[in-house]
């Protein structure tokens, strides 16, 4: 599944390299396990060597913060939802939902082909640039409008559920914690043993 883990400049890891070698325990202490996992997976095809750069790990730590903040925003705004029913989606949010379903279908095919390096990168970009930067920003105005509030909250609830599921194999610790905080999830099964969302949508 993987080649050799090398330093950022492509040298073989060795204690003699001093500070150029990456101590995983030190990295986990500073940036978290999920960040290290992502840095070891994204863009690294099967059998290829990995040039492990601390800057990449630091970047995925910031991504973890993005996931945390985005999910907390959703939780704060869907707490009054009595149920999550896609029938409450208006045309605008239904378009987002169709795009999300197409995205999940695409990455599911690639997961079945063991293209973890590709799926992890696509999820990263979808969560950050589509969900957080576009959908969440757009929802702020729509939630404030009584005519679109229910639809927007419903879409946020659907989307965060699905995104945490697909992120979980790659960033299991933060997603499990956030899953437990979602409304109605406290008494459900752990995310770790929940279904992949292609059977849910």
């Amino acid at each position: 599944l993987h080649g050799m883990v090398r330093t950022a400049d492509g040298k073989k890891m060795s204690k003699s390299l001093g500070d150029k070698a990456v101590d995983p325990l030190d990295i986990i202490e500073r940036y978290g396990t999920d960040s290290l996992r992502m840095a070891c997976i994204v863009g690294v095809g099967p059998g290829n060597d990995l040039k492990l750069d601390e800057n990449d790990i630091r970047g995925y730590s910031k991504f973890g913060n993005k996931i945390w903040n985005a999910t907390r925003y959703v939780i704060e705004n869907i707490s009054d939802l009595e149920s999550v029913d896609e029938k409450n989606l208006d045309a605008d949010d239904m378009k987002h939902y169709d795009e999300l379903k197409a995205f999940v279908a695409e990455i599911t095919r690639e997961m079945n082909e063991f293209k973890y390096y590709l799926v992890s990168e696509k999820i990263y970009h979808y969560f950050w640039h589509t969900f957080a930067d576009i959908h969440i920003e757009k929802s702020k105005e729509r939630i404030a409008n009584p005519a679109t509030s229910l639809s927007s909250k419903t879409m946020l609830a659907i989307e965060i559920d699905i995104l945490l599921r697909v992120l979980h194999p790659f960033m299991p610790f933060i997603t499990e914690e956030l899953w437990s905080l979602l409304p109605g999830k406290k008494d459900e099964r752990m995310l770790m043993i929940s279904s992949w969302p292609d059977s849910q949508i």
Side-chain angles (χ1 to χ4, degrees), residues 1-15 17 20-25 27 35-42 44-54 56-57:
L1 289 176
H2 59 81
M4 185 179 291
V5 179
R6 297 182 178 274
T7 62
D9 57 3
K11 293 180 180 178
K12 184 177 178 181
M13 289 280 185
S14 169
K15 287 183 179 180
L17 291 174
K20 286 189 177 181
V22 175
D23 182 340
L25 296 179
I27 288 293
S35 304
L36 179 58
R37 284 172 66 97
M38 283 291 280
C40 290
I41 297 171
V42 175
V44 183
N48 292 336
D49 287 356
L50 163 66
K51 293 181 181 178
L52 190 58
D53 191 335
E54 189 171 336
D56 292 337
I57 302 168

Side-chain angles (χ1 to χ4, degrees), residues 2 6-7 15 27 73 75 84 95 99 115 150 164:
H2 59 81
R6 297 182 178 274
T7 62
K15 287 183 179 180
I27 288 293
Y73 168 83
I75 292 170
V84 179
K95 181 181 176 183
E99 290 170 353
K115 295 178 180 177
L150 177 58
L164 288 180

Side-chain angles (χ1 to χ4, degrees), residues 11 40 82 85 87 92 107 111 134 160 170 181 201:
K11 293 180 180 178
C40 290
E82 294 182 3
D85 190 339
K87 293 178 182 177
D92 193 46
I107 62 172
M111 282 291 280
I134 299 175
I160 198 62
F170 307 101
L181 300 177
I201 59 176

